[in-house]
Amino acid sequence: MTDTGPADLPARPAAALPVWAPLRHRVFRALWVAQFVANIGTWAQLVAAQWLMGDLIQSGLAVALVQTAMTLPVFLLVVPAGALGDIVDRRVLLFSGQFVMALAAGCLAAFTALGTVSPGLLLGLTAALGVGQALSVPSFQAVQPELVGRRNIEAAALLNGANGNLARAVGPALGGLLIAAAGPEAAFALNAASFIGVLAVLAAWRREVAPLALGAERLFTAVRTGGRYVRHAPLLRAVLAQTALFMIFGSAVWALLPVVARGPLQLGVGGYGLLLGGAGVGAVLGALVVPMVRTRVGPGVVVAASTLAYAAAVLVTGATRAVPLVAVAMVVTGIGWVAVISTLDARAQVLLPDWPRARALAYYQLVVMGGQALGGVLWGAIAEWWGTITAFTVAAAGLAATVPVARRFLPLAAAAPDLTTVQHLPEPPEVSFPRAGRVLVTVEWRVPTERAPDFVDAMVPVGRARRRTGARLWGLFRDVEDPECFLEAFTVADWTEHLRQHLERGTAMDRDAEEGARRLIAPGTAPRVRHLLWAARTRKS
């Protein structure tokens, strides 16, 4: 299977692109349809697993642990999986993850049908599904620009969000019907079969893998580089922090809804599935409305307003015993969920260049899944000890409190920076002796005294750029005997890593930051760069 490529669409402003524009690309369209089927199976599986756990052991904490078992492996493994996504062929990694999930679902169906499933085995095989998801998620996000182009990332994020949430409208109800008709093993078998389409699309996709001039990075180095990139990208850190706040408090609904359905609402598995279906319907409605609203008011307002609406729905869900009110609240929950998550997901993607995409997006998934895993334990424990009403009330209050905190301290960038890969640094010098060990780079700048304060401010984004692309330590120093002389110094792990800084990792934003500093130096001067290699002492034999 080959794709015509994202360049085939005519250029037009990003705001004018329709939400369905990514579906014009053949591989994205095929993968989107196949993923929809797989998502239906996943939601049917979740309903069946939570319901089966309730049959095996009467405990709200045990039911909530099903969600934790699905998300905790992602929390633990997604970062190295993301690093792998920047090292190996992402198509192969996606195929492997989907195959693991299909195998785990098939085993769970077999054990349940044989009557040998136990709470521990249910949690273990659910965790195996989480392992497959950990392998898949970062690479799935990272291939989106390849499939649709950077201009369509926000539309693709909305479509993928609508995909999962439309499946949320169908999967739980279908899962409930299967459980009522043939038992939970039927829902598990459906989930195993639902991966066939995704595996077929991935097997047929002829993805072009560009050769790496400097070779593939080692796994540990890639993990460390991804963490350093996230640490020194303040716009991305704001997205991650907002996501963490929302996920921890917002996960209460998904962890405790089966407890509320079984207990206070006195619903069977079909009624529980219909409540989840209401959330899915709301999510689809949200996917239709969010693009128009976000274009007019910006991502920050969308996230704040949607979080408050979600908090109100959480409170109603936990406090009322009227099924119609809970059903309406679940529709609002779906709208708020897709509005917040799709907006934050799109922000994360447009704030990343190509080279660290999978490993940095792994940190986003780490926050998403980690928030759900920790939230599942937290809200399950609160419900067990103090009751479900208390758990829902605390969660709603926490959600409402995050809005002013995020607006004040974690604002979202309204526009994405230009992260096109450019080679703006000069070619590094040839090295005529062994290159083992650390690299020290110094840059001498001459700046008129009256421009010194502005220069120091201008060097802040330059320092961030150096550290994002590989520098371990970075500092700017001023000569006490020559106040117009500033010395920038930073270290890099080795010479190959420094070559990656020069040849593979620069962006237009980094270039603009350095040009801003250059405009402040003394006329007729240029920065003087020196490269120094670690002079290791040779041990005598």
Side-chain angles (χ1 to χ4, degrees), residues 49-377:
Q50 290 179 319
W51 204 262
L52 178 59
M53 182 63 79
D55 289 338
L56 295 172
I57 180 171
Q58 299 295 321
S59 169
L61 178 59
V63 172
L65 284 176
V66 172
Q67 175 177 291
T68 300
M70 184 69 180
T71 54
L72 186 59
V74 183
F75 180 79
L76 297 176
L77 300 175
V78 72
V79 170
L84 277 176
D86 286 330
I87 296 174
V88 304
D89 187 345
R90 290 168 182 163
R91 183 186 69 87
V92 174
L93 198 59
L94 277 168
F95 189 94
S96 302
Q98 297 296 299
F99 182 79
V100 169
M101 295 178 76
L103 184 62
C107 290
L108 187 54
F111 284 121
T112 305
L114 293 172
T116 58
V117 69
S118 65
L121 185 59
L122 175 59
L123 291 177
L125 288 172
T126 301
L129 284 161
V131 172
Q133 188 174 11
L135 292 174
S136 302
V137 170
S139 291
F140 179 77
Q141 284 189 292
V143 299
Q144 298 304 304
E146 298 179 41
L147 300 178
V148 302
R150 290 188 66 89
R151 294 183 302 113
N152 282 309
I153 287 178
E154 293 199 5
L158 263 175
L159 282 173
N160 288 327
N163 185 315
N165 288 286
L166 183 58
R168 190 198 299 265
V170 178
L174 181 59
L177 292 174
L178 287 173
I179 294 169
E185 60 268 28
F188 299 148
L190 170 68
N191 189 37
S194 71
F195 292 103
I196 294 175
V198 178
L199 293 172
V201 173
L202 292 173
W205 179 21
R206 296 295 178 259
R207 178 176 181 259
E208 295 183 4
V209 181
L212 298 173
L214 298 174
E217 299 176 63
R218 288 180 292 217
L219 180 60
F220 178 76
T221 302
V223 170
R224 185 175 57 197
T225 303
R228 186 185 299 118
Y229 188 95
V230 172
R231 188 164 62 250
H232 297 293
L235 296 179
L236 181 61
R237 288 203 317 269
V239 172
L240 297 182
Q242 286 213 32
T243 304
L245 291 172
F246 182 78
M247 294 307 302
I248 289 173
F249 292 104
S251 62
V253 171
W254 315 119
L256 296 178
L257 187 62
V259 179
V260 172
R262 274 181 176 271
L265 298 182
Q266 297 294 304
L267 295 175
V269 64
Y272 170 56
L274 289 175
L275 287 180
L276 282 177
V281 171
V284 173
L285 294 175
L288 296 174
V289 174
V290 165
M292 295 181 290
V293 176
R294 191 163 56 197
T295 301
R296 296 180 180 180
V297 301
V301 174
V302 168
V303 170
S306 301
T307 300
L308 291 174
Y310 190 92
V314 168
L315 184 61
V316 171
T317 301
T320 186
R321 298 296 175 261
V323 174
L325 282 179
V326 174
V328 173
M330 290 306 298
V331 174
V332 177
T333 296
I335 295 173
W337 180 269
V338 76
V340 174
I341 295 301
S342 69
T343 300
L344 294 174
D345 181 274
R347 287 291 93 192
Q349 293 204 46
V350 300
L351 291 174
L352 288 170
D354 293 333
W355 70 267
R357 179 172 296 278
R359 68 192 90 174
L361 286 173
Y363 283 91
Y364 173 78
Q365 290 299 326
L366 179 70
V367 171
V368 171
M369 297 300 179
Q372 290 189 69
L374 297 175
V377 175

